[in-house]
Amino acid sequence: MTMMLTDLPMAIQRSDFAGDFVWGVSTSSYQIEGAAAVDGRVPSIWDTFAATPGKVRDGSTGAVACDHYHRWEEDLDLAQSMGLNAYRFSIAWPRIFNGVDAEPNAKGLAFYSRLVDGMLARGLQPWCTLYHWDLPQYIQDQGGWNNRATVDLYLRYADVMTRHLGDRVKHWITHNEPWCTAMHGNWDGMHAPGNKSLPLALQVCHNVLLSHGRAVPLIRANVPDAKVGIALSLHPVMPASDSATDRAAVSRHDALRNRWFLDVLYGRGYPAEALALVGADAPVVEPGDLEAIAVPCDFLGVNYYFPEVVRDAPDEYPLRAQIVFPPDRQRTDFGWEVAPDGMVTLLERVARDYPTGDLYVTENGSSYDDHLEDGLVRDTARRDYLIRHLAAVRDAIAGGGGIKGYFAWSLLDNFEWAEGYLRRFGLTYIDYETQRRIVKQSGEWYSAFLRGA
Ligand code: IFM
């Protein structure tokens, strides 16, 4: 289905949003930094996973990626030239600690210090994610997130980073998309470390959420004026048909996909509906865990990409529900449905049902098969996706969702996990042969929008 330009809410402008609205882009360490063995960085689970034949579709790794570790000044210049006022990045834990009992690595700390100073010098508010999936391999070798001791290692890492950067970084995100850490990493095995066990995934999920809950007071103690939150990947869930069975399947799917995170973070414990479905596969929860996880935060980050459509599927364990892909939907080249209305539904629902404090869209973006032609990348579809989703944010604000900022995914094309370099999400094209950066038409549009042109 082709979107006509006339269907677009072209009238959208920056002045439709509050003057202090946060306009950013999101990035993550393993996806852009490269320099895998430089300045004392040790392997992460993604180095190991990507080096395993068959795990990443094009056989690639993040060893070089966008070489951002060496080209960060150029990349921050790009972000600044787009007219952004914020920049979301993550720290590579394997650059900071090279062993369980090691002292922090001064070169790793210095890199992030330079990066943050570079943001501030360019008028970019730093938004730091502590964990975006690149767990040090030596921690995985001791059980990774399935081992409760990893929570303590994470707290030590969070302590060091917030002491080191807290004088300049005020916005902290404990984890990016714990669903992916837990479920892709340990249930379907699509991500590192590649396990395939539901009980393992649920225990990992619990330990990750516990590490979040325990880290929040520690971050606040180190950075008194900190704003702390977590970024969840959430999906509105729609029924494949109007049948009562498909609608019941929606509730079951939503219980694990969304409420498993939202309910526990906001003090309701794990949803009874999901607990009944997973039965003995539920995680071990120790006394005090749920209270720790439900620590009040300053904001919630919502990463929105697409709705999930589900149907009743009695044979599917544990949810008796199955995701389907209706053929009549507009989709990106990655096959993800383009549904800005879903973002309105999702943001309004989260704001209505949970005491989240401020909401930020911490990721939103689209992957298309871009081509560099005559020095230009005419990614009209991504530009239109961006316009329509910004209009959706505006509509969700009008509908009562207290959304205070929007971060596009992503500044640069990058290593898209199990898809390697086959998927491009950037507002800027990367020519991986030369590492040349070319701002795409979508990036030019975002820039014009931000400048009020
Ligand atoms: O590239 C990822 C990112 O690391 C986490 N959120 C979704 C993006 C697109 O798949």
Side-chain angles (χ1 to χ4, degrees), residues 28 31 132-133 176-177 303 305 336 363 409 416-417 425:
S28 95
Q31 291 180 273
H132 197 129
W133 311 350
N176 186 65
E177 301 182 353
N303 294 359
Y305 288 90
W336 293 4
E363 285 184 28
W409 182 269
E416 176 55 24
W417 309 113
F425 274 92

